Amino acid sequence: MGEQVLGEDISSKPIPLLTPYKMGKFQLSHRVVLAPLTRQRSWNNVPQPHAILYYSQRATKGGLLITEATGVSDTAQGYSDTPGIWTKEQVEAWKPIVDAVHAKGGIFFCQIWHVGRVSNVEFQPNGEAPISSTDKKLKPEVLNSGVDDAHFSTPRRLRTDEIPQIVNDFRLAARNAMEAGFDGVEIHGAHGYLLDQFLKDEANDRTDKYGGSLENRCRFPLEVVEAVVNEIGADKVGMRISPFSDYLEAGDSNSRALGLYMAESLNKFRLLYCHMIEPRMKTLAEKTESPESLEPMRKAFSGTFIVAGGYGREDGNKAMAENHADMVAFGRLFLANPDLPKRFELNAPLNKYIRELFYTPEPVLGYTDYPFLEDSS
């Protein structure tokens, strides 16, 4: 590169995170993935032009980017100004964002989600109750921004005969993502949202075929996987799950069995990738010590295995070197360092992220104004 580099000598041995990798038909130049990050800057649930700059800043040739969580329907919302992909207007708004990422040679997946009970009537059509696996209401909580005190409405338990409609919403969202030009979709099955509300026995108290046994609790999420795979092809579909987390009152009494069952089940659909949250991230913000490991799921899943959860350069490289995963998704570090792969390559210092600006409806501040290396040098 012709640049003077401080720190370790990077010329002698390859940096594991920066080695090429083939994910299905996608030839990736490195293993540093942009994790899906809610940013709440899509007015009226429509992606905005400022997202063009945000995503293209973080795009590299052969790098994988995953969008912020994107609603599959008008009942999927639980936060203000999060994007959707259920209307023609939303699909059209995503197109220039996708084009900008592709112009830089990036691979771009859209994360499709439904919040389930993590909502209130203000976000729901006609002020109806949010839908869920259960009618148990969430306790109020201070959101990650540290300022909003979120109050959740009592959810309505989905009837058995309504579930195929929600499955269809995910299928249509996947079709719309392809129409917008995305390379694929990631199904959001983590972090206490709708699919996780079915997966986890703390949140799922059903007595029909979607509740009770492990197989029954996984049934609806796997029906979503099947529908999406049938719609766009397994080579374009990943899924994110967090078996060990207990965000939003969605913990499980046997997380390891759940993670293993899901990894094995996803194999049957020949899913492109499985994106799992490390057990150490029991809560959204901070790492904790955990005796658990994703190793059994890594061994069980035959596709690409992506891990996330508080990683930095050193433990990310270690995870690659020890074959703990194929790629690592970085959230807060990538948010604050648009040129994160480059900084990892040069072992350069990192910008510090500003937590207070994660979710503020600012089109520039805390969004596209984090400096690149050349700006700060």
Side-chain angles (χ1 to χ4, degrees):
M1 310 290 276
E3 296 179 44
Q4 190 63 41
V5 178
L6 300 173
E8 65 195 59
D9 176 20
I10 60 165
S11 58
S12 54
K13 57 180 190 295
I15 299 162
L17 279 169
L18 299 174
T19 54
Y21 176 74
K22 196 159 180 359
M23 178 178 79
K25 61 183 179 181
F26 302 106
Q27 186 58 60
L28 304 176
S29 62
H30 60 79
R31 298 160 188 252
V32 180
V33 180
L34 174 66
L37 296 164
T38 293
R39 304 310 313 271
Q40 293 183 252
R41 288 161 167 88
S42 300
W43 323 142
N44 300 317
N45 310 124
V46 178
Q48 297 297 304
H50 45 250
I52 298 171
L53 180 59
Y54 172 74
Y55 284 109
S56 65
Q57 280 179 333
R58 286 155 186 78
T60 50
K61 186 172 169 44
L64 175 62
L65 276 62
I66 306 167
T67 69
E68 60 208 279
T70 301
V72 298
S73 70
D74 60 357
T75 66
Q77 305 297 314
Y79 305 87
S80 57
D81 299 318
T82 52
I85 195 156
W86 72 88
T87 70
K88 183 79 178 140
E89 183 188 9
Q90 290 163 339
V91 172
E92 292 303 316
W94 275 115
K95 285 180 179 178
I97 304 168
V98 176
D99 289 346
V101 169
H102 285 159
K104 291 184 76 174
I107 314 298
F108 206 12
F109 272 55
C110 182
Q111 191 195 56
I112 53 177
W113 76 331
H114 194 301
V115 298
R117 67 175 176 171
V118 188
S119 187
N120 66 51
V121 292
E122 290 166 37
F123 292 115
Q124 295 300 315
N126 309 317
E128 291 163 15
I131 56 176
S132 182
S133 58
T134 180
D135 51 16
K136 288 188 293 191
K137 182 180 175 180
L138 287 173
K139 294 191 276 289
E141 67 165 47
V142 177
L143 289 181
N144 309 321
S145 51
V147 288
D148 305 321
D149 186 14
H151 288 272
F152 306 107
S153 301
T154 303
R156 180 176 71 77
R157 187 193 305 270
L158 278 165
R159 296 192 316 269
T160 309
D161 65 353
E162 290 178 295
I163 288 179
Q165 177 56 52
I166 312 300
V167 172
N168 196 51
D169 289 340
F170 275 90
R171 180 184 69 81
L172 292 174
R175 179 199 283 181
N176 287 345
M178 303 318 291
E179 162 71 17
F182 284 104
D183 297 294
V185 301
E186 174 176 289
I187 298 164
H188 195 342
H191 295 160
Y193 296 114
L194 183 63
L195 301 188
D196 207 27
Q197 289 156 34
F198 277 78
L199 290 171
K200 303 285 184 61
D201 59 13
E202 182 185 359
N204 186 334
D205 56 2
R206 303 177 72 89
T207 55
D208 65 357
K209 68 177 182 177
Y210 294 104
S213 69
L214 177 58
E215 291 78 4
N216 279 0
R217 284 182 281 118
C218 295
R219 187 185 306 276
F220 165 52
L222 291 172
E223 286 176 353
V224 168
V225 171
E226 182 176 30
V228 169
V229 162
N230 287 343
E231 182 65 36
I232 68 170
D235 59 339
K236 303 178 198 70
V237 183
M239 187 175 198
R240 190 179 222 206
I241 48 177
S242 57
F244 295 95
S245 73
D246 56 8
Y247 308 157
L248 297 163
E249 298 168 50
D252 196 80
S253 60
N254 193 341
S255 301
R256 190 185 305 181
L258 172 61
L260 211 46
Y261 180 81
M262 283 299 289
E264 288 162 352
S265 300
L266 295 179
N267 281 339
K268 294 173 189 161
F269 298 105
R270 305 176 73 91
L271 219 63
L272 176 65
Y273 73 76
C274 177
H275 183 179
M276 251 189 222
I277 309 298
E278 289 286 355
R280 64 191 182 190
M281 302 303 286
K282 262 188 111 60
T283 65
L284 201 54
E286 300 308 326
K287 286 189 281 197
T288 54
E289 287 298 313
S290 172
E292 292 289 356
S293 162
L294 295 182
E295 218 49 54
M297 298 90 199
R298 160 64 162 163
K299 288 193 173 77
F301 185 68
S302 49
T304 292
F305 197 72
I306 304 176
V307 292
Y311 274 97
R313 182 182 189 270
E314 192 176 336
D315 58 349
N317 277 323
K318 187 167 182 281
M320 297 299 92
E322 295 175 357
N323 201 28
H324 176 65
D326 298 305
M327 298 197 279
V328 180
F330 295 87
R332 291 165 286 186
L333 293 190
F334 220 148
L335 178 156
N337 296 274
D339 50 358
L340 189 65
K342 171 94 161 177
R343 287 176 190 255
F344 280 172
E345 180 189 350
L346 302 176
N347 200 16
L350 300 179
N351 299 325
K352 290 196 167 36
Y353 54 81
I354 306 164
R355 187 183 293 279
E356 301 75 55
L357 297 177
F358 283 177
Y359 309 104
T360 49
E362 288 278 354
V364 176
L365 209 60
Y367 191 56
T368 54
D369 62 345
Y370 284 103
F372 286 75
L373 258 179
E374 48 269 31
D375 302 336
S376 50
S377 59

